[in-house]
Amino acid sequence: MTRRVYLDHNASTPVHPEVIEAMLPYLGERYGNPSSIHAFGQEARDGLETARERIARFLRVGKDEIVFTSGGTESDNLAVKGVAAARGSGHIVTSRIEHHAVLRTCQTLERQGFAVTYLPVDEHGLVDPDDVRRAIRPDTILVTVMHANSEVGTIEPIEEIGRVVRERGIPFHVDGVQTFGKVPVDVEGSGIDLLSFSSHKIYGPKGVAGLYVRKGTKMAAIQHGGEHERRRRAGTENVPGIVGLGKAVEVRGREMTAEAARLTALRDRLTEGVRARVPEVRVNGHPARRLPGTANLGFRHVESESIVLGLDLKGVAVSAGSACTSGNVEPSHVLVAMGVPLDWAMGAVRCSLGRSTTAEDVDYVIECVEPIVRKLRAASPVAAV
Ligand SMILES: Cc1ncc(COP(=O)(O)O)c(C=O)c1O
Protein backbone atom coordinates (compact mmCIF):
# COMPACT_ATOMS: atom_id res chain seq x y z
CA MET A 1 0.00 0.00 0.00
CA THR A 2 1.24 3.50 -0.78
CA ARG A 3 2.30 5.45 2.25
CA ARG A 4 -0.12 8.31 3.08
CA VAL A 5 1.28 11.58 4.36
CA TYR A 6 -1.02 14.50 5.13
CA LEU A 7 0.75 17.86 4.99
CA ASP A 8 -2.33 20.07 4.59
CA HIS A 9 -3.16 20.94 8.20
CA ASN A 10 -3.71 24.64 7.37
CA ALA A 11 -6.64 23.50 5.22
CA SER A 12 -8.13 21.16 7.85
CA THR A 13 -7.10 18.70 10.56
CA PRO A 14 -8.31 15.27 11.70
CA VAL A 15 -10.63 15.42 14.72
CA HIS A 16 -8.76 14.50 17.92
CA PRO A 17 -10.03 11.23 19.50
CA GLU A 18 -10.75 13.02 22.81
CA VAL A 19 -12.83 15.55 20.87
CA ILE A 20 -14.90 12.80 19.23
CA GLU A 21 -15.48 11.21 22.62
CA ALA A 22 -16.61 14.52 24.15
CA MET A 23 -19.03 15.15 21.26
CA LEU A 24 -20.70 11.73 21.17
CA PRO A 25 -23.21 12.25 24.04
CA TYR A 26 -24.39 15.46 22.33
CA LEU A 27 -25.05 13.56 19.10
CA GLY A 28 -26.92 10.93 21.15
CA GLU A 29 -28.86 11.33 24.34
CA ARG A 30 -28.15 15.04 24.99
CA TYR A 31 -30.10 16.29 21.99
CA GLY A 32 -32.15 19.06 23.61
CA ASN A 33 -32.32 22.60 22.28
CA PRO A 34 -30.14 24.79 24.54
CA SER A 35 -32.81 27.52 24.46
CA SER A 36 -35.45 25.18 26.00
CA ILE A 37 -36.05 25.59 29.74
CA HIS A 38 -36.71 21.88 30.44
CA ALA A 39 -34.05 19.41 31.60
CA PHE A 40 -33.20 18.23 28.08
CA GLY A 41 -32.56 21.82 27.05
CA GLN A 42 -30.54 22.57 30.16
CA GLU A 43 -28.24 19.57 29.56
CA ALA A 44 -27.44 20.97 26.13
CA ARG A 45 -27.04 24.47 27.61
CA ASP A 46 -24.52 23.12 30.13
CA GLY A 47 -22.40 21.63 27.32
CA LEU A 48 -22.54 24.92 25.44
CA GLU A 49 -21.60 27.06 28.42
CA THR A 50 -18.77 24.76 29.54
CA ALA A 51 -17.24 25.14 26.07
CA ARG A 52 -17.68 28.91 26.20
CA GLU A 53 -15.93 29.06 29.59
CA ARG A 54 -13.02 26.95 28.36
CA ILE A 55 -12.46 29.15 25.33
CA ALA A 56 -12.78 32.36 27.38
CA ARG A 57 -10.21 31.05 29.87
CA PHE A 58 -7.86 30.06 27.05
CA LEU A 59 -8.05 33.57 25.57
CA ARG A 60 -8.15 35.24 29.01
CA VAL A 61 -11.36 37.11 28.14
CA GLY A 62 -14.90 37.23 29.52
CA LYS A 63 -17.29 34.35 28.87
CA ASP A 64 -19.94 36.76 27.58
CA GLU A 65 -17.50 38.04 24.96
CA ILE A 66 -17.53 34.74 22.97
CA VAL A 67 -20.05 34.33 20.11
CA PHE A 68 -20.34 30.94 18.40
CA THR A 69 -20.67 30.83 14.60
CA SER A 70 -20.65 28.29 11.77
CA GLY A 71 -17.04 28.81 10.68
CA GLY A 72 -14.09 31.17 10.42
CA THR A 73 -15.69 32.60 7.30
CA GLU A 74 -18.85 33.56 9.19
CA SER A 75 -16.81 34.99 12.08
CA ASP A 76 -14.91 37.24 9.64
CA ASN A 77 -18.15 38.29 7.92
CA LEU A 78 -19.84 39.01 11.25
CA ALA A 79 -16.92 41.11 12.52
CA VAL A 80 -16.44 43.20 9.38
CA LYS A 81 -20.07 43.54 8.23
CA GLY A 82 -21.29 43.79 11.82
CA VAL A 83 -19.07 46.79 12.63
CA ALA A 84 -19.84 48.36 9.24
CA ALA A 85 -23.61 47.94 9.78
CA ALA A 86 -23.40 49.44 13.28
CA ARG A 87 -21.73 52.56 11.83
CA GLY A 88 -23.60 52.85 8.51
CA SER A 89 -20.72 54.45 6.56
CA GLY A 90 -16.99 55.09 6.77
CA HIS A 91 -13.54 53.77 5.95
CA ILE A 92 -11.96 50.36 6.62
CA VAL A 93 -8.24 49.52 6.68
CA THR A 94 -7.14 45.98 5.78
CA SER A 95 -4.23 44.27 4.02
CA ARG A 96 -3.82 42.78 0.54
CA ILE A 97 -3.00 39.34 1.92
CA GLU A 98 -6.13 38.68 3.99
CA HIS A 99 -8.13 35.49 3.58
CA HIS A 100 -10.94 35.87 1.05
CA ALA A 101 -13.43 35.78 3.95
CA VAL A 102 -12.16 39.27 4.85
CA LEU A 103 -11.05 40.53 1.41
CA ARG A 104 -14.28 39.72 -0.41
CA THR A 105 -16.35 41.04 2.49
CA CYS A 106 -14.46 44.34 2.24
CA GLN A 107 -14.94 44.41 -1.54
CA THR A 108 -18.68 43.85 -1.03
CA LEU A 109 -18.82 46.73 1.45
CA GLU A 110 -16.94 48.93 -1.03
CA ARG A 111 -19.69 48.30 -3.57
CA GLN A 112 -22.16 49.42 -0.90
CA GLY A 113 -20.39 52.76 -0.44
CA PHE A 114 -17.78 52.10 2.26
CA ALA A 115 -14.19 53.17 1.52
CA VAL A 116 -11.45 50.53 1.93
CA THR A 117 -7.65 50.83 2.02
CA TYR A 118 -5.80 47.60 1.15
CA LEU A 119 -2.34 47.89 2.69
CA PRO A 120 0.71 46.50 0.89
CA VAL A 121 3.10 43.99 2.50
CA ASP A 122 6.88 43.58 2.24
CA GLU A 123 8.66 40.68 0.51
CA HIS A 124 8.11 38.49 3.60
CA GLY A 125 4.40 39.27 3.80
CA LEU A 126 4.62 41.71 6.72
CA VAL A 127 2.26 44.64 7.17
CA ASP A 128 4.10 47.78 8.39
CA PRO A 129 2.41 49.32 11.47
CA ASP A 130 3.47 52.76 10.14
CA ASP A 131 1.43 52.08 7.00
CA VAL A 132 -1.56 51.39 9.25
CA ARG A 133 -0.94 54.69 11.06
CA ARG A 134 -0.75 56.58 7.76
CA ALA A 135 -3.87 54.90 6.36
CA ILE A 136 -6.13 55.82 9.29
CA ARG A 137 -8.50 58.71 8.49
CA PRO A 138 -10.97 60.67 10.63
CA ASP A 139 -13.77 58.47 9.25
CA THR A 140 -11.99 55.09 9.77
CA ILE A 141 -14.42 52.71 11.50
CA LEU A 142 -12.41 49.45 11.50
CA VAL A 143 -8.90 48.06 11.05
CA THR A 144 -8.78 44.36 10.17
CA VAL A 145 -5.45 42.54 9.82
CA MET A 146 -4.89 38.78 10.07
CA HIS A 147 -2.63 37.28 12.74
CA ALA A 148 -0.91 34.71 10.53
CA ASN A 149 -1.26 34.17 6.82
CA SER A 150 -2.64 30.76 5.89
CA GLU A 151 -0.56 30.39 2.71
CA VAL A 152 2.91 31.49 3.75
CA GLY A 153 2.56 31.42 7.55
CA THR A 154 3.95 34.91 8.17
CA ILE A 155 2.95 36.18 11.63
CA GLU A 156 1.96 39.85 11.55
CA PRO A 157 3.10 42.38 14.18
CA ILE A 158 -0.40 42.65 15.61
CA GLU A 159 0.81 43.99 18.98
CA GLU A 160 2.33 47.05 17.27
CA ILE A 161 -0.60 47.42 14.89
CA GLY A 162 -2.99 47.08 17.84
CA ARG A 163 -1.18 49.87 19.68
CA VAL A 164 -1.56 52.22 16.69
CA VAL A 165 -5.24 51.34 16.32
CA ARG A 166 -6.05 51.61 20.03
CA GLU A 167 -4.43 55.09 20.25
CA ARG A 168 -7.02 56.23 17.73
CA GLY A 169 -9.93 54.50 19.48
CA ILE A 170 -10.86 52.45 16.40
CA PRO A 171 -12.15 48.83 16.64
CA PHE A 172 -9.44 46.29 15.73
CA HIS A 173 -10.42 42.94 14.19
CA VAL A 174 -7.88 40.14 13.89
CA ASP A 175 -8.46 37.00 11.83
CA GLY A 176 -6.80 34.52 14.17
CA VAL A 177 -8.00 31.38 12.39
CA GLN A 178 -4.44 30.19 11.64
CA THR A 179 -2.91 31.08 15.03
CA PHE A 180 -5.63 30.24 17.58
CA GLY A 181 -4.46 27.12 19.42
CA LYS A 182 -1.17 27.03 17.50
CA VAL A 183 0.79 29.98 18.93
CA PRO A 184 -0.09 32.33 21.83
CA VAL A 185 -2.61 35.08 21.05
CA ASP A 186 -2.50 38.03 23.46
CA VAL A 187 -5.94 39.60 23.11
CA GLU A 188 -5.41 42.24 25.79
CA GLY A 189 -1.78 43.06 24.99
CA SER A 190 -2.56 43.39 21.27
CA GLY A 191 -5.60 45.61 21.83
CA ILE A 192 -7.83 43.22 19.91
CA ASP A 193 -11.55 44.06 19.92
CA LEU A 194 -12.71 41.23 17.65
CA LEU A 195 -10.92 37.90 17.08
CA SER A 196 -12.04 35.20 14.62
CA PHE A 197 -11.13 31.59 15.40
CA SER A 198 -12.14 28.26 13.95
CA SER A 199 -12.43 24.68 15.15
CA HIS A 200 -11.34 22.51 12.22
CA LYS A 201 -7.83 23.98 12.09
CA ILE A 202 -7.14 22.74 15.63
CA TYR A 203 -8.38 19.12 15.55
CA GLY A 204 -12.01 20.04 16.20
CA PRO A 205 -15.01 19.41 13.92
CA LYS A 206 -15.83 21.44 10.80
CA GLY A 207 -18.65 23.98 10.59
CA VAL A 208 -18.16 25.55 14.00
CA ALA A 209 -16.12 28.53 15.12
CA GLY A 210 -16.29 31.66 17.20
CA LEU A 211 -15.78 35.38 17.38
CA TYR A 212 -14.44 37.16 20.44
CA VAL A 213 -16.18 40.53 20.74
CA ARG A 214 -14.80 42.89 23.39
CA LYS A 215 -17.50 44.18 25.72
CA GLY A 216 -18.75 47.55 24.48
CA THR A 217 -17.73 47.01 20.81
CA LYS A 218 -20.47 48.27 18.52
CA MET A 219 -21.33 45.38 16.20
CA ALA A 220 -24.75 44.78 14.62
CA ALA A 221 -26.05 41.28 13.96
CA ILE A 222 -25.95 40.22 10.32
CA GLN A 223 -28.21 37.19 10.74
CA HIS A 224 -31.61 37.75 12.31
CA GLY A 225 -33.97 35.48 14.16
CA GLY A 226 -34.07 34.42 17.81
CA GLU A 227 -32.29 35.71 20.87
CA HIS A 228 -29.30 33.35 20.64
CA GLU A 229 -25.74 34.35 21.51
CA ARG A 230 -26.95 37.53 23.26
CA ARG A 231 -28.68 38.61 20.04
CA ARG A 232 -25.39 38.79 18.17
CA ARG A 233 -25.92 35.64 16.08
CA ALA A 234 -29.38 34.16 15.65
CA GLY A 235 -29.88 30.42 15.15
CA THR A 236 -29.87 27.31 17.34
CA GLU A 237 -26.28 26.65 18.30
CA ASN A 238 -24.40 23.63 16.91
CA VAL A 239 -24.12 22.02 20.36
CA PRO A 240 -22.08 18.89 19.47
CA GLY A 241 -19.73 21.01 17.37
CA ILE A 242 -19.29 23.64 20.07
CA VAL A 243 -18.64 20.96 22.71
CA GLY A 244 -16.01 19.56 20.31
CA LEU A 245 -14.44 22.99 19.83
CA GLY A 246 -14.29 23.46 23.61
CA LYS A 247 -12.55 20.10 24.01
CA ALA A 248 -10.16 20.85 21.15
CA VAL A 249 -9.16 24.07 22.91
CA GLU A 250 -8.55 22.20 26.15
CA VAL A 251 -6.29 19.72 24.36
CA ARG A 252 -4.42 22.55 22.60
CA GLY A 253 -3.82 24.17 25.97
CA ARG A 254 -1.91 21.01 26.94
CA GLU A 255 -0.13 20.32 23.67
CA MET A 256 0.44 23.66 21.95
CA THR A 257 3.85 24.71 23.27
CA ALA A 258 5.63 21.38 22.86
CA GLU A 259 4.07 20.80 19.47
CA ALA A 260 5.11 24.22 18.17
CA ALA A 261 8.77 23.39 18.91
CA ARG A 262 8.49 19.92 17.34
CA LEU A 263 6.81 21.25 14.20
CA THR A 264 9.33 24.06 13.77
CA ALA A 265 12.14 21.49 13.73
CA LEU A 266 10.27 19.24 11.27
CA ARG A 267 9.39 22.18 9.02
CA ASP A 268 13.06 23.20 8.87
CA ARG A 269 14.09 19.59 8.16
CA LEU A 270 11.66 19.64 5.23
CA THR A 271 12.82 22.95 3.74
CA GLU A 272 16.51 22.14 4.19
CA GLY A 273 16.04 18.64 2.75
CA VAL A 274 14.23 19.92 -0.34
CA ARG A 275 16.71 22.74 -0.86
CA ALA A 276 19.63 20.33 -0.67
CA ARG A 277 18.20 18.14 -3.44
CA VAL A 278 16.27 20.43 -5.74
CA PRO A 279 17.81 23.44 -7.53
CA GLU A 280 15.90 26.74 -7.84
CA VAL A 281 13.66 26.50 -4.79
CA ARG A 282 12.73 29.39 -2.52
CA VAL A 283 10.90 29.57 0.79
CA ASN A 284 8.05 32.07 0.62
CA GLY A 285 7.19 33.86 3.86
CA HIS A 286 9.12 35.32 6.75
CA PRO A 287 12.29 33.41 7.70
CA ALA A 288 11.58 33.67 11.45
CA ARG A 289 8.13 35.13 12.12
CA ARG A 290 6.30 32.12 10.72
CA LEU A 291 3.76 29.53 11.86
CA PRO A 292 5.58 26.49 13.26
CA GLY A 293 4.26 23.93 10.77
CA THR A 294 4.04 25.99 7.57
CA ALA A 295 6.50 25.82 4.67
CA ASN A 296 5.55 27.48 1.40
CA LEU A 297 8.07 26.31 -1.21
CA GLY A 298 8.36 28.00 -4.58
CA PHE A 299 9.70 25.81 -7.40
CA ARG A 300 10.81 27.95 -10.34
CA HIS A 301 9.43 27.12 -13.79
CA VAL A 302 6.97 24.44 -12.67
CA GLU A 303 3.21 24.66 -12.17
CA SER A 304 2.25 24.04 -8.57
CA GLU A 305 -0.83 21.96 -9.42
CA SER A 306 1.37 19.50 -11.33
CA ILE A 307 3.53 19.03 -8.22
CA VAL A 308 0.43 18.60 -6.03
CA LEU A 309 -0.92 15.94 -8.39
CA GLY A 310 2.46 14.21 -8.64
CA LEU A 311 2.75 14.07 -4.85
CA ASP A 312 -0.86 12.89 -4.56
CA LEU A 313 0.08 9.84 -6.66
CA LYS A 314 2.72 9.13 -4.01
CA GLY A 315 0.12 9.44 -1.22
CA VAL A 316 1.28 12.90 -0.14
CA ALA A 317 -1.26 15.71 0.40
CA VAL A 318 -0.07 19.33 0.06
CA SER A 319 -1.78 22.35 -1.49
CA ALA A 320 -1.11 24.52 -4.51
CA GLY A 321 -0.26 28.19 -4.27
CA SER A 322 -1.69 28.93 -7.67
CA ALA A 323 -5.27 28.15 -8.56
CA CYS A 324 -7.11 27.41 -11.76
CA THR A 325 -9.96 29.87 -12.15
CA SER A 326 -12.08 29.77 -15.30
CA GLY A 327 -9.41 27.99 -17.32
CA ASN A 328 -6.51 30.29 -16.42
CA VAL A 329 -3.89 29.46 -13.84
CA GLU A 330 -3.65 32.41 -11.46
CA PRO A 331 -0.89 32.99 -8.92
CA SER A 332 -1.94 33.44 -5.30
CA HIS A 333 -2.96 37.00 -4.33
CA VAL A 334 -0.68 36.65 -1.29
CA LEU A 335 2.46 35.88 -3.33
CA VAL A 336 1.60 38.62 -5.84
CA ALA A 337 1.28 41.13 -2.97
CA MET A 338 4.67 39.97 -1.63
CA GLY A 339 6.20 40.69 -5.04
CA VAL A 340 7.23 37.07 -5.68
CA PRO A 341 8.20 36.92 -9.39
CA LEU A 342 5.65 35.06 -11.53
CA ASP A 343 8.01 32.25 -12.59
CA TRP A 344 8.44 31.39 -8.89
CA ALA A 345 4.89 32.20 -7.72
CA MET A 346 3.32 29.78 -10.20
CA GLY A 347 5.25 26.91 -8.65
CA ALA A 348 4.33 27.56 -5.01
CA VAL A 349 3.39 24.57 -2.90
CA ARG A 350 2.24 24.84 0.72
CA CYS A 351 3.19 22.08 3.13
CA SER A 352 1.50 22.38 6.54
CA LEU A 353 2.53 19.91 9.21
CA GLY A 354 0.55 18.76 12.22
CA ARG A 355 0.23 16.48 15.27
CA SER A 356 0.69 13.23 13.38
CA THR A 357 3.62 14.34 11.19
CA THR A 358 6.84 12.40 11.82
CA ALA A 359 10.45 12.81 10.68
CA GLU A 360 9.95 9.70 8.48
CA ASP A 361 7.00 11.43 6.78
CA VAL A 362 9.13 14.49 6.09
CA ASP A 363 11.99 12.38 4.69
CA TYR A 364 9.56 10.49 2.45
CA VAL A 365 8.21 13.79 1.06
CA ILE A 366 11.75 15.09 0.40
CA GLU A 367 12.48 11.87 -1.49
CA CYS A 368 9.29 12.15 -3.57
CA VAL A 369 9.64 15.83 -4.52
CA GLU A 370 12.99 15.68 -6.32
CA PRO A 371 12.08 13.30 -9.21
CA ILE A 372 8.66 14.96 -9.66
CA VAL A 373 10.16 18.43 -10.08
CA ARG A 374 13.00 17.09 -12.27
CA LYS A 375 10.54 15.42 -14.67
CA LEU A 376 8.25 18.45 -14.82
CA ARG A 377 11.20 20.72 -15.58
CA ALA A 378 12.47 18.36 -18.25
CA ALA A 379 9.09 18.71 -19.99
CA SER A 380 8.92 22.49 -19.51
CA PRO A 381 9.92 24.74 -22.45
CA VAL A 382 11.16 27.51 -20.13
CA ALA A 383 13.05 25.60 -17.44
CA ALA A 384 16.82 25.70 -17.83
CA VAL A 385 17.50 23.06 -15.16
C1 LIG B 1 -6.86 32.94 7.85
C2 LIG B 1 -8.18 32.26 7.61
N1 LIG B 1 -9.33 32.90 7.81
C3 LIG B 1 -10.53 32.32 7.62
C4 LIG B 1 -10.64 31.03 7.19
C5 LIG B 1 -11.99 30.40 7.00
O1 LIG B 1 -12.27 29.51 8.03
P1 LIG B 1 -13.40 28.36 7.86
O2 LIG B 1 -12.81 27.32 6.98
O3 LIG B 1 -13.64 27.88 9.27
O4 LIG B 1 -14.61 29.02 7.28
C6 LIG B 1 -9.46 30.30 6.95
C7 LIG B 1 -9.52 28.92 6.42
O5 LIG B 1 -8.66 28.47 5.71
C8 LIG B 1 -8.21 30.91 7.17
O6 LIG B 1 -7.05 30.28 6.97
Side-chain angles (χ1 to χ4, degrees), residues 10-11 70-74 76 99 101 146 148 150 175 177-178 198 200-201 208-209:
N10 286 11
S70 68
T73 299
E74 188 190 331
D76 285 344
H99 189 271
M146 69 199 323
S150 47
D175 177 344
V177 168
Q178 288 294 346
S198 186
H200 73 113
K201 312 288 186 185
V208 59

Side-chain angles (χ1 to χ4, degrees), residues 38-320:
H38 50 60
F40 290 81
Q42 291 314 296
E43 270 171 15
R45 168 67 53 194
D46 285 349
L48 193 65
E49 296 310 322
T50 302
R52 203 188 302 277
E53 266 161 32
R54 273 187 185 153
I55 295 162
R57 219 176 306 128
F58 184 73
L59 288 174
R60 285 168 284 140
V61 301
K63 180 174 175 306
D64 297 340
E65 296 176 308
I66 302 294
V67 179
F68 290 116
T69 67
S70 68
T73 299
E74 188 190 331
S75 297
D76 285 344
N77 270 263
L78 176 56
V80 177
K81 288 185 191 158
V83 169
R87 299 297 293 268
S89 64
H91 169 243
I92 297 169
V93 177
T94 190
S95 84
R96 287 188 197 156
I97 63 161
E98 297 300 306
H99 189 271
H100 284 125
V102 168
L103 271 186
R104 293 198 173 135
T105 301
C106 287
Q107 288 159 0
T108 302
L109 289 172
E110 241 182 323
R111 286 193 290 274
Q112 294 169 3
F114 289 85
V116 182
T117 299
Y118 300 92
L119 296 173
V121 292
D122 71 6
E123 74 268 32
H124 301 307
L126 284 178
V127 172
D128 183 345
D130 282 335
D131 282 345
V132 176
R133 190 190 308 278
R134 282 188 285 268
I136 290 174
R137 316 191 314 203
D139 64 339
T140 303
I141 56 164
L142 179 71
V143 173
T144 170
V145 175
M146 69 199 323
H147 192 184
N149 184 272
S150 47
E151 292 184 31
V152 295
T154 298
I155 299 177
E156 299 299 336
I158 54 161
E159 301 81 4
E160 287 90 328
I161 296 172
R163 220 168 291 136
V164 168
V165 179
R166 185 168 268 188
E167 269 169 23
R168 308 292 293 266
I170 298 163
F172 182 33
H173 169 241
V174 171
D175 177 344
V177 168
Q178 288 294 346
T179 48
F180 176 74
K182 296 185 188 176
V183 294
V185 182
D186 183 0
V187 172
E188 199 47 56
S190 309
I192 299 172
D193 297 302
L194 302 121
L195 176 80
S196 303
F197 54 92
S198 186
S199 156
H200 73 113
K201 312 288 186 185
I202 55 160
Y203 311 95
K206 293 171 183 61
V208 59
L211 180 68
Y212 156 76
V213 186
R214 182 182 294 279
K215 204 171 169 200
T217 306
K218 291 194 173 52
M219 183 192 83
I222 59 167
Q223 178 164 304
H224 306 280
E227 310 279 294
H228 315 85
E229 300 299 297
R230 303 180 148 244
R231 287 202 226 110
R232 288 172 298 194
R233 197 271 186 183
T236 300
E237 292 88 349
N238 170 3
V239 179
I242 291 168
V243 167
L245 166 57
K247 190 68 183 179
V249 166
E250 187 195 285
V251 176
R252 295 314 292 163
R254 273 192 340 246
E255 296 187 348
M256 186 171 91
T257 310
E259 193 187 290
R262 197 182 73 86
L263 292 185
T264 302
L266 284 179
R267 175 198 78 189
D268 293 346
R269 182 185 182 111
L270 176 68
T271 47
E272 279 153 27
V274 171
R275 273 172 146 170
R277 284 172 190 230
V278 185
E280 301 226 73
V281 183
R282 58 178 277 159
V283 179
N284 298 311
H286 197 280
R289 291 185 63 96
R290 194 142 51 91
L291 282 174
T294 304
N296 186 308
L297 299 169
F299 297 91
R300 193 171 182 211
H301 291 145
V302 219
E303 258 180 27
S304 52
E305 284 191 1
S306 307
I307 304 177
V308 173
L309 294 175
L311 283 171
D312 190 39
L313 290 174
K314 297 282 178 191
V316 177
V318 295
S319 70

